[in-house]
Amino acid sequence: MARSGSAVKGMLTLFNLRSLLHSPLPGLLSQWQWTRAIFPPIAQKNYCTKPTRPIGRYPVPYKKDLPYDIVELMEEMETKSGFLPNVFKVLSHRPAEFRAFFAYYNALMNKETGRLSKADRELIVVATSISNRCLYCVISHGALHRIYSKNPTLADQVSVNYEVAELQARERVMLDFALAISRCDNITEEHFKNLEAHGFDREDAWDIAAIAAFFSLSNRIAHFTDMRPNEEFYSMGRLPREKDGEPKK
């Protein structure tokens, strides 16, 4: 099986989380089928917390039944990040869709052009996902926003009520537009004028809209599969990182 392209592997830059966490991750995977193996013992690392309930309503394939490129990506992700986000496990049920999903994810979330920071992109996902009532995406992308923004509270505020959250003016107009896309409001020139007044051009508007549209799709997939967030996401970015064994002051 050929290896996946660089677009899919680019996801690793987003999920290289282990170095960002404040402490090592506990837990065992011994009772989870993902550790069943055609791999030698050295590859069977116990990184994830033991799930307290199923991560979704569809079965997670065994590694031996998955294409090589998908297994390789998952192994690398888990090794570098310290745990494997459940979205990888759930979508592995449909390998062709797995590849398509993460290729577009990477194109939207890891691009290096435009005026949207990584924190901006994650905040768009949080706002869109709370509008669509998606537990998985609110929790996981709230964690990523805390890390990229170094702000431990803003994603929580947005997930409750973005209209009263402590947003900068540019962030507010950005989320206004994202939610208009998510709700399928009529989009007018007034939307673009509001964005331009806060420093966003038409290409930035496309980025905001595409992220909101893509995650509206992702939210609905998470809904019907009953995708559950990894426990690790809940605490990420909330506490100072440890350095040399000591808590950061």
Side-chain angles (χ1 to χ4, degrees):
M1 176 67 67
R3 293 173 179 246
S4 58
S6 59
V8 178
K9 285 196 173 183
M11 277 293 297
L12 292 171
T13 63
L14 179 63
F15 281 101
N16 187 10
L17 304 177
R18 186 173 176 83
S19 64
L20 298 170
L21 297 176
H22 66 274
S23 62
L25 295 171
L28 295 173
L29 275 174
S30 58
Q31 296 185 20
W32 178 44
Q33 65 179 358
W34 191 249
T35 61
R36 301 283 297 271
I38 57 172
F39 291 89
I42 192 171
Q44 298 178 27
K45 298 180 179 179
N46 297 321
Y47 287 110
C48 302
T49 53
K50 178 181 174 182
T52 57
R53 57 169 292 173
I55 64 170
R57 59 170 46 96
Y58 284 80
V60 177
Y62 290 101
K63 283 184 178 180
K64 65 182 179 62
D65 298 324
L66 285 171
Y68 173 78
D69 61 310
I70 291 178
V71 172
E72 182 184 46
L73 176 60
M74 288 177 154
E75 286 284 304
E76 189 172 357
M77 180 67 66
E78 187 171 6
T79 298
K80 288 189 174 183
S81 302
F83 69 98
L84 185 64
N86 288 339
V87 63
F88 286 83
K89 305 170 196 173
V90 172
L91 291 183
S92 70
H93 184 73
R94 294 279 188 97
E97 294 172 38
F98 178 108
R99 295 186 185 100
F101 180 94
F102 286 118
Y104 194 35
Y105 184 115
N106 181 61
L108 293 176
M109 302 300 285
N110 291 328
K111 68 180 294 185
E112 297 179 355
T113 58
R115 294 170 178 81
L116 298 183
S117 67
K118 285 187 177 293
D120 289 336
R121 295 172 196 275
E122 297 300 338
L123 201 60
I124 292 167
V125 179
V126 172
T128 299
S129 299
I130 193 63
S131 176
N132 292 321
R133 302 172 64 192
C134 179
L135 175 66
Y136 184 89
C137 292
V138 170
I139 298 302
S140 60
H141 291 276
L144 293 176
H145 179 268
R146 290 193 296 271
I147 288 169
Y148 290 131
S149 69
K150 296 180 173 54
N151 184 331
T153 61
L154 185 58
D156 290 343
Q157 293 175 13
V158 168
S159 69
V160 176
N161 184 351
Y162 93 99
E163 293 184 352
V164 299
E166 296 173 346
L167 295 165
Q168 299 174 12
R170 68 176 294 280
E171 292 172 326
R172 191 171 301 280
V173 73
M174 176 184 76
L175 296 188
D176 285 341
F177 186 59
L179 290 172
I181 298 298
S182 179
R183 295 189 300 259
C184 294
D185 291 353
N186 291 328
I187 302 303
T188 69
E189 284 301 308
E190 192 64 28
H191 288 97
F192 291 93
K193 289 178 181 177
N194 288 339
L195 289 169
E196 289 167 2
H198 290 84
F200 297 110
D201 64 18
R202 297 254 167 166
E203 294 304 313
D204 299 320
W206 185 303
D207 287 341
I208 295 167
I211 292 168
F214 177 74
F215 277 93
S216 292
L217 161 71
S218 178
N219 297 157
R220 285 156 176 79
I221 292 173
H223 273 314
F224 83 81
T225 59
D226 194 28
M227 194 185 302
R228 313 302 296 185
N230 301 67
E231 292 182 9
E232 290 89 343
F233 282 127
Y234 288 93
S235 60
M236 283 170 50
R238 296 191 185 279
L239 299 174
R241 291 172 54 190
E242 288 184 354
K243 185 175 181 180
D244 298 327
E246 294 294 332
K248 186 175 180 181
K249 301 298 184 182

